[in-house]
Amino acid sequence: MASNLPPKPTLEHSTTTSGGLAHEHHERPRGMLRWLLTTNHKEIGTLYLIFSLTMFFIGGIFALVVRAELFQPGLQLVQPEFFNQMTTMHGLIMVFGAVMPAFVGLANWMVPLQVGAPDMALPRLNNFSFWLLPVAFTLLLSTLLMPGGGPNFGWTFYAPLSTTYAPPSTTFFILSLHMAGISSILGAINIIATILNLRAPGMRLMDMPLFVWTWLITAFLLIAVMPILAGVITMMLMDINFGTSFFNAAGGGDPVLFQHLFWFFGHPEVYIMILPAFGIVSAIIPTFARKPLFGYASMVYATASIAILSFLVWAHHMFVVGLPLVAELFFMFTTMLIAVPTGVKVFNWIATLFQGSITFETAMLFALAFVVLFSIGGFSGLMLAIAPADFQYHDTYFVVAHFHYVLVPGAIFAIMAGVYYWLPKWTGHYPDERLGRWHFWMSVIGVNLTFFPMHFSGLAGMPRRIPDYALQFADFNMVSSVGALMFGVSQLLFVWGVIKCVRGGEKAPAKAWEGAEDLEWSVPSPAPLHTFDTPPDFKPVTH
Amino acid sequence: MRKTLAWIMGAGSFLGLASSTLANGWNMPAGVTDVSREIYSLHMTIFWICVVIGIVVFGVMFYSLFRYRRSRGAKSANFHENTSVEVVWTAVPLLILVGMALPATATLKRMYDASEADLDVMVTGQQWRWHYEYLGENVSFTSSLSTPRSQINGEEEKGENYLLDVDQPLVLPVGRKVRFLMTSDDVIHSWWVPDLAVKQDSIPGFVNENWVRIEEPGIYRGQCAELCGKDHAFMPVVVRALEGDEFDSWLAERRKEAEAEASGVDREWSMDELMERGEQVYGAICATCHQPDGSGAEPTFPALAGNEALLNDRDRHIDVVLNGVSGTPMAAFRSNLNPVELAAVITYERNAWGNESGDVVQPSEIQALLEQ
């Protein structure tokens, strides 16, 4: 396959720059202080990405503990108390520590470059948003060592299991989530301010690359829902420490209220983790199909529709809590409606491929796998939307399969595609294609071995979040565990590939990919520390 | 050659594994009620719709990937819009969805009609067992996992119904409409039997409704579906469906037993009788948290063995068991256990594992407290 790849663009273009490039105009601190005090969007972007990768591995190890225990029926390696902490921490770390910071990291690097801005609009705030995260997650991880253990009530932390019945460390869990939430809100404000104020002259909103568009919408979602998360965990804090009874039925409280609040945050949160992925894929597919994105405007409208609908579907997570019939029907219909704009996106990507001139660099492989596997997650999502059938699917491995399909080969594959796509811009070197392909195929096989059998075990009746299971689920679980190990180990290839690319490799010109059109490809590779000190001359591409 | 052989053997064992797995069930069961079959047919309809859409969409995608490869000399076109195509692929999915929503709505309406039931059963979730009460029949009991710990820990071979067996199954009549009223004493649980297509959260402070009309006698197994703490995996649901007349005689038998038990309250019980009964109750109810040897699991579940505070204060001990401790996982057992069971378990806790208080708590004493 290597021979099928096109020749890389020649290096001659690499001196082409648009906009002015700043000189080193001030002394910068060296060593650790440089990273602690940096206000540069590229450095902060790198910090976010490294942090996210670290969390990805920690969360991954927790997942492997879970899968190892589930390798066969019976309790072998861990006790249920610890197993519950592992499932909970795996979810929390992956959602708040790996996927979200990875997207913020990509936004930090790429949004200013794609809109022709010299930096993020609020650089010091940017530094603060990042450094909140290591503190928050160190605190969260340290709860595992506290008496009574860490959070053990699932990443959805339903009350009263997470309040009256929770371990004493729950207060620290709340504090760490507060910090992560503040970080997200500040990051979102920064991204909005950058996009709305610092675009290159002449760049209208409808000229922006889709990654910028999807992040703009995501940032509004973050600002809308993170305060609700903050509210609900504060109510938990009060119930635990100050004798209130928001969620305690014995004191007149309402455990179902917790779920309404959580999912009013939680469902938009799901889209926060997928919209930027749509943006990345919408950049990569046109590049390697050498053809403009099909239906740019409808992509923007579809993203906005998904975001708006995300506020109207939260109770589809609660079909079996005893909602009245009209509520079940309303949430079933709105949820099914989401399939329409999502479908539009998939159709647009495929129409972009149609009559293109396609090559299969690693970034493209991941983007194509995203389209297929995310769609499979979409199909199971459509099935879950059917409320009567959800009485059978709810809280089973079918749900686990569904959301892992949209999050792992969905969000995470898109992040990896983005990394392979932009690595030449970050490092000045092309990633090793052979290594990339190994990483890709191992990941695709691993992911499907892990998560596809979960559809079957779920339909056959296996509930989620159990450390031990009945014998009829044994074969499926064994396959899942083998797949998980394979997927986990193959991520070491990713780390190796990235390190290799940072240290050297084939030199990349400014426009590293022949079909890439956006502004980031007009600055040299690697991008100098300061870019676009004077705004670039922006000419709209035909969208 | 050897490599090929290894591949064939590998593929063979994979297929063998796959077929044995498929034989064990890999799809939603159609179940044994009208509603469960309707749900199954909705599930299969939406599944096949997804399969057809998937074949068309991925078909076009893989055709494009193959046909328009650069290595095959493909030159890219430059189109990027087509209003009529975009209208079509927005409208067609919308129509498919409407077609799907109509039957789903009809089924949901049927599921929500729990009126005119022949029998009401109150289902109460407790960490980590189910309590069933046949409303108006004076029959109630607790149903907990009967799979021995040694099977879970791998010291003994796992039985056929590993983790799906209980000491006392819920017994229901065939052909009658049974209404479930679901609630919980502690955290949220979810009562689920796939063959009956009933899954309903049991939530403290709420009473949820669901119903079933079972069509075939048999044993139907399920599990708690909502994470409810450490033994979430170990609170199965087993339903035994009997023909109407068999059910009636079973219920009459249970009613007689309950009356006999109630009369036991008035007599004087010996220490040995109470200890024997108390050990049973402790094993079924208390041991999951406080451990079979009374050692507890600090900091959440205090040790009972050598617990001076309890041993020195008999009234407090009785109060804790009857009324629970608010703000902690300790539930109130006054309405879940009868006076004999309460007296026996308190006596047992005060005299087992080296606790030598010598105290005897009589059922009549508990009865008096309950009536206050």
Side-chain angles (χ1 to χ4, degrees):
Chain A
M1 215 163 158
S3 56
N4 292 346
L5 293 180
K8 304 275 168 49
T10 51
L11 264 175
E12 290 160 44
H13 309 279
S14 66
T15 47
T16 322
T17 59
S18 40
L21 292 178
H23 321 280
E24 292 282 311
H25 50 55
H26 53 87
E27 274 299 306
R28 296 189 308 125
R30 289 167 186 279
M32 281 304 291
L33 265 191
R34 167 188 167 194
W35 295 103
L36 196 64
L37 300 176
T38 180
T39 55
N40 181 284
H41 74 102
K42 300 185 185 78
E43 291 183 339
I44 295 176
T46 304
L47 285 174
Y48 265 109
L49 290 171
I50 293 171
F51 174 80
S52 149
L53 190 61
T54 313
M55 288 296 135
F56 180 58
F57 275 91
I58 295 176
I61 289 167
F62 294 166
L64 288 180
V65 172
V66 168
R67 285 300 347 155
E69 178 54 55
L70 293 173
F71 182 69
Q72 56 184 45
L75 293 180
Q76 291 89 21
L77 301 171
V78 296
Q79 288 304 303
E81 294 90 332
F82 189 69
F83 181 91
N84 288 346
Q85 294 173 44
M86 286 292 103
T87 54
T88 305
M89 286 296 236
H90 163 69
L92 291 169
I93 295 279
M94 287 303 197
V95 168
F96 295 103
V99 174
M100 291 172 69
F103 282 130
V104 181
L106 291 172
N108 253 288
W109 253 102
M110 301 321 297
V111 166
L113 285 179
Q114 289 197 322
V115 301
D119 204 310
M120 295 292 278
L122 309 158
R124 288 193 186 88
L125 191 71
N126 204 12
N127 173 292
F128 181 58
S129 330
F130 172 75
W131 282 108
L132 276 172
L133 286 180
V135 179
F137 283 87
T138 308
L139 183 62
L140 182 62
L141 287 169
S142 71
T143 58
L144 286 174
L145 308 172
M146 294 179 186
N152 57 10
F153 28 67
W155 86 275
T156 52
F157 49 96
Y158 280 7
L161 189 63
S162 63
T163 52
T164 317
Y165 296 82
S169 66
T170 306
T171 303
F172 293 99
F173 152 79
I174 291 172
L175 182 59
S176 67
L177 220 49
H178 263 309
M179 283 194 278
I182 293 170
S183 163
S184 291
I185 293 174
L186 298 181
I189 290 173
N190 212 343
I191 287 166
I192 292 174
T194 308
I195 296 172
L196 295 185
N197 295 309
L198 298 187
R199 290 195 309 283
M203 184 186 275
R204 295 163 303 177
L205 287 175
M206 289 306 272
D207 295 327
M208 300 191 309
L210 261 169
F211 179 64
V212 179
W213 250 119
T214 51
W215 241 118
L216 179 65
I217 292 168
T218 303
F220 277 108
L221 285 182
L222 276 168
I223 291 182
V225 302
M226 292 313 279
I228 296 164
L229 175 69
V232 71
I233 57 180
T234 306
M235 289 158 87
M236 284 170 60
L237 187 77
M238 306 277 279
D239 273 11
I240 294 170
N241 296 301
F242 303 113
T244 57
S245 294
F246 289 111
F247 307 128
N248 176 8
D254 181 346
V256 176
L257 174 67
F258 174 90
Q259 297 186 24
H260 282 294
L261 291 171
F262 179 84
W263 286 113
F264 195 81
F265 146 79
H267 203 78
E269 166 71 17
V270 173
Y271 293 131
I272 287 165
M273 293 190 285
I274 202 65
L275 295 185
F278 292 162
I280 295 168
V281 170
S282 302
I284 292 172
I285 288 182
T287 296
F288 298 105
R290 293 168 182 76
K291 192 162 154 278
L293 181 69
F294 187 90
Y296 172 87
S298 70
M299 281 299 212
V300 173
Y301 299 139
T303 310
S305 325
I306 293 175
I308 292 165
L309 279 173
S310 75
F311 289 105
L312 300 174
V313 298
W314 77 89
H316 69 216
H317 298 271
M318 303 164 56
F319 278 148
V320 306
V321 302
L323 298 176
L325 179 62
V326 279
E328 297 265 327
L329 292 174
F330 174 81
F331 287 107
M332 173 167 78
F333 298 150
T334 52
T335 305
M336 292 171 84
L337 215 49
I338 286 189
V340 176
T342 314
V344 165
K345 285 186 158 292
V346 173
F347 301 146
N348 281 342
W349 289 320
I350 292 172
T352 308
L353 293 171
F354 189 72
Q355 296 192 355
S357 172
I358 303 168
T359 52
F360 299 92
E361 284 80 354
T362 309
M364 181 65 157
L365 291 175
F366 273 102
L368 294 172
F370 170 93
V371 174
V372 174
L373 300 177
F374 172 80
S375 299
I376 291 176
F379 288 141
S380 54
L382 188 55
M383 296 172 77
L384 285 159
I386 309 294
D390 188 67
F391 276 76
Q392 293 279 44
Y393 305 139
H394 184 81
D395 266 332
T396 66
Y397 261 83
F398 190 78
V399 177
V400 178
H402 159 71
F403 69 74
H404 279 95
Y405 261 87
V406 292
L407 278 173
V408 184
I412 290 175
F413 271 23
I415 292 166
M416 286 169 173
V419 169
Y420 281 110
Y421 181 60
W422 283 310
L423 263 176
K425 183 53 59 192
W426 301 339
T427 66
H429 309 123
Y430 286 102
D432 182 334
E433 281 295 331
R434 213 171 86 91
L435 203 53
R437 274 195 303 276
W438 269 99
H439 172 222
F440 171 76
W441 286 109
M442 298 273 289
S443 297
V444 166
I445 296 169
V447 135
N448 284 292
L449 274 183
T450 311
F451 299 116
F452 210 80
M454 291 183 183
H455 291 113
F456 302 129
S457 49
L459 290 175
M462 178 163 164
R464 59 191 288 208
R465 294 165 165 170
I466 52 174
D468 193 6
Y469 48 83
L471 300 180
Q472 66 262 37
F473 310 125
D475 297 340
F476 292 126
N477 275 283
M478 195 173 276
V479 175
S480 283
S481 292
V482 170
L485 185 66
M486 178 173 170
F487 180 77
V489 170
S490 51
Q491 299 323 305
L492 296 173
L493 293 176
F494 177 63
V495 178
W496 183 18
V498 171
I499 293 175
K500 205 172 160 200
C501 184
V502 170
R503 303 179 113 192
E506 195 187 335
K507 290 245 179 303
K511 185 172 165 178
W513 311 111
E514 186 184 29
E517 299 295 346
D518 294 321
L519 271 182
E520 75 264 32
W521 305 108
S522 68
V523 304
S525 303
L529 193 62
H530 295 285
T531 39
F532 298 129
D533 266 12
T534 57
D537 186 20
F538 175 77
K539 289 184 205 67
V541 207
T542 38
H543 279 308
Chain B
M1 182 60 206
R2 187 175 290 176
K3 212 170 173 185
T4 324
L5 203 65
W7 271 105
I8 292 172
M9 282 173 67
S13 59
F14 182 78
L15 284 179
L17 183 78
S19 59
S20 73
T21 298
L22 296 191
N24 280 339
W26 56 285
N27 196 1
M28 182 190 289
V32 289
T33 71
D34 259 355
V35 168
S36 74
R37 277 190 293 270
E38 272 183 42
I39 289 177
Y40 175 76
S41 98
L42 282 172
H43 159 69
M44 290 314 287
T45 311
I46 188 77
F47 170 71
W48 285 114
I49 290 175
C50 289
V51 168
V52 171
I53 298 175
I55 289 172
V56 172
V57 171
F58 298 148
V60 175
M61 179 171 169
F62 282 100
Y63 169 78
S64 304
L65 291 181
F66 184 77
R67 170 76 180 71
Y68 303 110
R69 277 173 301 156
R70 160 111 156 203
S71 56
R72 226 167 154 262
K75 294 268 179 295
S76 58
N78 199 33
F79 66 85
H80 53 83
E81 256 169 5
N82 186 325
T83 311
S84 45
V85 169
E86 291 178 60
V87 169
V88 167
W89 71 37
T90 311
V92 170
L94 204 58
L95 291 177
I96 296 174
L97 290 177
V98 172
M100 200 56 227
L102 293 174
T105 303
T107 303
L108 203 57
K109 276 185 166 163
R110 275 169 55 88
M111 291 166 72
Y112 263 71
D113 179 13
S115 62
E116 292 171 33
D118 304 309
L119 173 69
D120 288 337
V121 178
M122 186 91 188
V123 179
T124 307
Q126 297 163 358
Q127 283 179 324
W128 290 275
R129 58 196 157 259
W130 297 100
H131 184 262
Y132 300 115
E133 184 180 356
Y134 294 74
L135 294 181
E137 304 288 347
N138 193 24
V139 171
S140 69
F141 56 87
T142 301
S143 171
S144 31
L145 178 74
S146 62
T147 301
R149 205 73 210 174
S150 50
Q151 288 191 14
I152 296 173
N153 293 333
E155 292 143 11
E156 194 188 326
E157 202 179 333
K158 294 175 175 37
E160 189 194 349
N161 294 312
Y162 176 66
L163 297 188
L164 297 178
D165 252 341
V166 294
D167 50 1
Q168 303 191 76
L170 173 65
V171 179
L172 294 178
V174 162
R176 296 185 201 162
K177 186 167 184 174
V178 179
R179 182 169 70 140
F180 298 113
L181 298 164
M182 314 264 188
T183 190
S184 167
D185 281 345
D186 36 52
V187 299
I188 301 175
H189 303 270
S190 194
W191 194 88
W192 180 34
V193 180
D195 277 315
L196 309 185
V198 174
K199 182 188 285 143
Q200 195 73 56
D201 282 359
S202 86
I203 304 173
F206 282 73
V207 177
N208 275 334
E209 260 187 357
N210 208 314
W211 65 275
V212 71
R213 191 193 300 273
I214 304 173
E215 285 168 9
E216 290 167 33
I219 306 254
Y220 305 108
R221 296 172 199 276
Q223 280 179 269
C224 175
E226 180 68 58
L227 177 63
C228 54
K230 86 179 166 77
D231 284 352
H232 166 51
F234 308 114
M235 54 181 291
V237 176
V238 179
V239 172
R240 196 168 141 228
L242 298 178
E243 294 290 358
D245 47 348
E246 285 179 65
F247 172 79
D248 289 335
S249 51
W250 174 85
L251 193 62
E253 186 71 20
R254 290 303 299 244
R255 210 182 292 126
K256 218 180 286 169
E257 284 173 26
E259 280 156 15
E261 179 98 359
S263 66
V265 172
D266 299 328
R267 75 178 171 85
E268 190 82 358
W269 286 59
S270 74
M271 175 75 134
D272 288 345
E273 284 177 312
L274 287 170
M275 286 298 280
E276 192 191 332
R277 189 69 206 273
E279 189 172 2
Q280 290 167 6
V281 177
Y282 186 86
I285 308 284
C286 317
T288 45
C289 298
H290 294 287
Q291 303 307 311
D293 60 356
S295 61
E298 301 286 355
T300 317
F301 308 116
L304 301 179
N307 185 327
E308 294 297 327
L310 278 191
L311 289 175
N312 293 337
D313 190 345
R314 185 171 179 272
D315 291 344
R316 162 108 183 107
H317 191 167
I318 295 173
D319 178 57
V320 166
V321 175
L322 259 54
N323 302 316
V325 182
S326 80
T328 76
M330 181 64 198
F333 286 95
R334 57 187 305 144
S335 50
N336 292 324
L337 297 175
N338 65 40
V340 174
E341 291 166 328
L342 287 166
V345 81
I346 296 169
T347 305
Y348 178 74
E349 288 172 358
R350 297 185 71 74
N351 295 287
W353 331 292
N355 287 355
E356 286 172 2
S357 67
D359 289 341
V360 174
V361 179
Q362 286 295 340
S364 52
E365 184 184 349
I366 300 290
Q367 177 72 19
L369 282 170
L370 290 176
E371 281 166 5
Q372 272 175 18

